């Protein structure tokens, strides 16, 4: 910090110096926000072990009332599930209207995926995280080696994602007469009700998968059909705190089922149908 201050103070051009100060303040504010989350989580953990607020206050050298304030100040612990800074949501793109690449078509995303981004944006905003989205081109090329990254794209649209998914020894996408999900531990198949009897339901995959550079992970969401990803996002909206307590930021995967309104495509219900499979010790 001292070196940063000296470096900025030594910038000759006053406008450049002001800009550098603004940028550094934003960085520090981000750190303060994350530290307040860490503090809140630590106090919650201490209380979960049976420590009273009076005992925690004595250890911290503050009043009992102050501990109560700190226990509710800052973002919730589960914010870490998504990251510590601006979250990028990568959405699988297709060429508009079935056009070929030679016709220079626009790259578009489904209504369901844009709806997913909007729901995630609101969820993240409530935890003091900003979000942006990008469209994965129809080639399926996406940079997975980034922090604070969520990918919503079926394996059929991205060979890179499909390759990473092959590393999951518990759950996988398969195709015979239709795409479906398979629990390799139980050998149970999860087939979309859309394909079976035409009813308004689907299944989705949720996991934290390894980056290709081995330096972290990314969150991955995909449905058998596009609406299945909406079911996963709905599940996160309603179960994030509990899910975070179970897996924190470690690698895992699980399957989510959902029911939706066939007219509005609104998710009516979502639930986990497999265990939370851990990918690491």
């Amino acid at each position: 910090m001292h070196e940063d201050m000296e470096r900025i103070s030594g910038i000759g051009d006053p406008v450049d110096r002001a800009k550098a100060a603004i940028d550094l303040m934003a960085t520090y504010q981000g750190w303060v926000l994350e530290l307040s989350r860490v503090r809140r989580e630590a106090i919650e953990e201490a209380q979960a072990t049976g420590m009273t607020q009076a005992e925690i206050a004595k250890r911290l050298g503050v009043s009992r009332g102050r501990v109560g304030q700190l226990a509710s100040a800052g973002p919730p612990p589960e914010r870490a599930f998504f990251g510590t800074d601006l979250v990028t949501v990568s959405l699988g793109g297709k060429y508009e209207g079935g056009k070929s690449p030679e016709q220079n078509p626009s790259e578009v995303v489904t209504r369901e995926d844009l709806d997913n981004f909007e729901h995630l944006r609101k969820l993240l905003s409530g935890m003091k995280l900003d979000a942006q989205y990008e469209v994965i081109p129809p080639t399926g090329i996406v940079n997975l080696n980034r922090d604070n990254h969520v990918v919503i794209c079926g394996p059929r649209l991205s060979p890179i994602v499909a390759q990473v998914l092959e590393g999951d020894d518990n759950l996988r996408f398969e195709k015979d007469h239709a795409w479906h999900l398979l629990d390799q531990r139980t050998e149970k198949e999860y087939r979309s009700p859309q394909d079976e009897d035409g009813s308004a339901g689907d299944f989705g995959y949720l996991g934290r998968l390894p980056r290709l550079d081995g330096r972290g992970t990314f969150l991955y969401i995909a449905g058998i059909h596009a609406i299945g990803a909406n079911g996963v996002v709905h599940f996160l909206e309603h179960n994030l705190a509990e899910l975070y307590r179970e897996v924190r930021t470690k690698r895992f995967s699980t399957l989510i089922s959902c029911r939706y309104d066939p007219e509005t495509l609104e998710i009516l219900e979502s639930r986990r149908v497999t265990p939370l499979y851990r990918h690491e010790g």
Side-chain angles (χ1 to χ4, degrees):
M1 182 182 295
H2 180 68
E3 290 178 355
D4 285 335
M5 293 292 291
E6 284 192 342
R7 176 178 57 80
I8 290 174
S9 298
I11 296 175
D13 184 282
V15 177
D16 287 345
R17 188 163 67 246
K19 183 179 184 306
I22 290 170
D23 291 344
L24 187 59
M25 286 172 68
T27 298
Y28 284 168
Q29 285 166 356
W31 291 349
V32 167
L33 200 59
E34 174 60 12
L35 286 169
S36 67
R37 186 205 67 79
V38 171
R39 180 184 62 193
R40 178 173 172 176
E41 182 175 39
I43 291 173
E44 288 184 9
E45 283 185 22
Q47 290 177 316
T49 65
M51 289 185 70
T52 66
Q53 286 196 350
E55 291 170 329
I56 296 170
K58 184 176 180 181
R59 289 275 303 274
L60 291 178
V62 299
S63 69
R64 181 176 174 179
R66 180 58 176 155
V67 170
Q69 292 175 338
L70 296 179
S72 59
E78 59 268 24
R79 177 184 194 259
F81 189 79
F82 287 97
T84 59
D85 206 341
L86 175 67
V87 175
T88 299
V89 182
S90 298
L91 306 175
K94 300 177 181 179
Y95 289 125
E96 63 173 338
K99 294 181 181 179
S100 67
E102 291 75 23
Q103 295 172 290
N104 294 319
S106 299
E107 296 166 0
V108 297
V109 296
T110 65
R111 167 188 166 188
E112 290 93 333
D113 278 347
L114 285 176
D115 188 50
N116 275 331
F117 172 72
E118 189 57 28
H119 277 266
L120 281 176
R121 188 190 64 77
K122 289 179 181 176
L123 175 62
L124 293 166
S125 177
M127 297 184 290
K128 295 183 170 62
L129 278 172
D130 292 327
Q132 63 183 5
Y133 80 86
E134 66 179 18
V135 180
I136 300 173
T139 57
I141 302 300
V142 57
N143 176 15
L144 299 177
N145 299 330
R146 291 179 279 176
D147 295 331
N148 313 309
H149 191 199
V150 180
V151 176
I152 305 178
C153 177
R156 75 192 96 174
L157 294 180
S158 175
I160 294 176
V161 167
Q163 191 174 14
V164 175
L165 274 172
E166 288 178 4
D168 185 346
D169 296 326
N170 307 291
L171 304 167
R172 72 180 179 204
F173 283 86
E174 285 198 337
K175 185 181 182 183
D176 41 31
H177 66 276
W179 282 94
H180 57 278
L181 284 155
L182 172 69
D183 184 330
Q184 299 178 83
R185 294 284 188 92
T186 64
E187 297 186 352
K188 181 175 181 179
E189 294 180 342
Y190 294 87
R191 293 183 178 272
S192 174
Q194 287 187 41
D195 301 323
E196 298 297 290
D197 58 19
S199 60
D202 201 18
F203 291 97
Y205 177 106
L206 168 64
R208 184 181 298 280
L209 302 177
R211 288 169 23 173
L212 296 177
D213 63 2
R215 297 178 182 173
T217 59
F218 65 96
L219 280 174
Y220 180 65
I221 295 170
I224 296 175
H225 298 283
I227 195 73
N230 295 61
V232 174
V233 171
H234 181 273
F235 178 82
L236 289 173
E237 288 178 298
H238 293 84
N239 301 276
L240 182 60
E242 179 185 357
L243 179 63
Y244 176 73
R245 282 195 295 270
E246 291 285 338
V247 298
R248 298 297 172 112
T249 57
K250 293 187 175 181
R251 288 164 48 195
F252 76 96
S253 59
T254 191
L255 299 185
I256 307 297
S257 74
C258 69
R259 290 190 308 106
Y260 62 92
D261 185 318
E263 299 296 324
T264 65
L265 300 183
E266 178 187 0
I267 301 296
L268 304 174
E269 176 190 55
S270 62
R271 62 189 178 90
R272 187 163 55 82
V273 293
T274 68
L276 289 166
Y277 288 121
R278 272 76 166 181
H279 297 188
E280 54 190 295

